Amino acid sequence: MYEGPVQDLIDELGRLPGIGPKSAQRIAFHLLAAEPADVTRLQEVLQQVKEGVVFCDVCGNVSEETTCRICRDARRDKTLVCVVEEPKDVLAVERTREFKGRYHVLGGALDPLSGVGPDQLRVRELLARIGTDEISEVIVATDPNTEGEATATYLVRMLRDFPGLNVTRLASGLPMGGDLEFADELTLGRALSGRRSM
Ligand SMILES: [Zn+2]
């Protein structure tokens, strides 16, 4: 244990995902030795990210304005909606350059053991969107792991009730057990273009 703020910093850093005690300590001492201007810059972006970033009121993606860039873009196909778990998955799908529709970000995946049920995800918002917008196809692009599969199964069941709505899933071929963002562009692009109706 270090004294005072140094230990507080190590504790805070250690709470971040993927940062163990050793890394937290290394980052803390790096910051202690860093130029004040560098630390100030980090401080500023941390503050901005909490104050300046909002979630798009249509799709739930991170955004600088109340409606995100993709939802505002009139060239994007309104009738096609790709449902993903997290904003980072939007980036992964965008990188494939295969998709010209819009998104819906759930904010996670069903995980009953951790207390995440449909009410903790943006499922109600998705159903409301389908009810009002002229959406003809929903592509379920949750992660290829247990929680993602459970979420997809649940969504397909919920979406079956909408007449005329085509519900599709990414083609197989994505590495199982992983995260959408770990699939390379080519594989994800193929999974997207080879999607099948449920
Ligand atoms: Zn949006």
Side-chain angles (χ1 to χ4, degrees):
M1 287 286 277
Y2 295 93
E3 271 179 48
V6 177
Q7 188 60 44
D8 292 345
L9 178 59
I10 294 172
D11 291 345
E12 286 306 319
L13 291 169
R15 267 194 258 275
L16 301 173
I19 297 187
K22 278 211 173 111
S23 303
Q25 191 172 319
R26 206 172 63 233
I27 297 168
F29 282 100
H30 168 83
L31 290 171
L32 272 178
E35 292 292 328
D38 292 341
V39 178
T40 306
R41 212 167 46 241
L42 177 63
Q43 208 173 349
E44 280 166 4
V45 292
L46 283 175
Q47 204 157 8
Q48 281 161 9
V49 84
K50 283 321 280 181
E51 288 166 2
V53 177
V54 291
F55 292 93
C56 173
D57 57 4
V58 180
C59 72
N61 195 8
V62 286
S63 176
E64 271 185 280
E65 296 177 38
T66 48
T67 307
C68 78
R69 200 166 29 84
I70 294 174
C71 288
R72 287 199 311 265
D73 189 345
R75 289 165 304 179
R76 311 269 318 205
D77 187 353
K78 265 183 118 163
T79 67
L80 192 56
V81 170
C82 181
V83 179
V84 294
E85 293 180 17
E86 307 279 357
K88 61 185 164 52
D89 302 322
V90 171
L91 281 186
V93 176
E94 283 296 284
R95 272 200 303 267
T96 68
R97 297 169 183 277
E98 285 279 335
F99 184 66
K100 296 284 169 263
R102 297 185 180 186
Y103 293 93
H104 191 87
V105 181
L106 293 170
L110 290 180
D111 187 3
L113 291 178
S114 307
V116 183
D119 289 344
Q120 277 70 49
L121 304 176
R122 298 184 67 256
V123 173
R124 214 176 309 124
E125 288 86 343
L126 174 65
L127 301 180
R129 264 181 95 177
I130 296 166
T132 50
D133 286 350
E134 61 262 49
I135 294 167
S136 61
E137 183 184 346
V138 171
I139 306 169
V140 179
T142 49
D143 287 342
N145 55 32
T146 318
E147 292 81 18
E149 288 299 318
T151 310
T153 307
Y154 173 79
L155 287 178
V156 169
R157 210 172 59 225
M158 297 299 286
L159 296 173
R160 262 205 298 253
D161 297 337
F162 289 90
L165 179 70
N166 190 13
V167 182
T168 55
R169 286 216 55 194
L170 296 182
S172 48
L174 293 172
M176 264 313 280
D179 197 314
L180 217 58
E181 62 164 334
F182 298 141
D184 64 277
E185 284 110 85
L186 199 65
T187 310
L188 185 52
R190 275 199 199 122
L192 201 56
S193 56
R195 63 186 184 270
R196 55 212 153 73
S197 282
M198 296 306 290

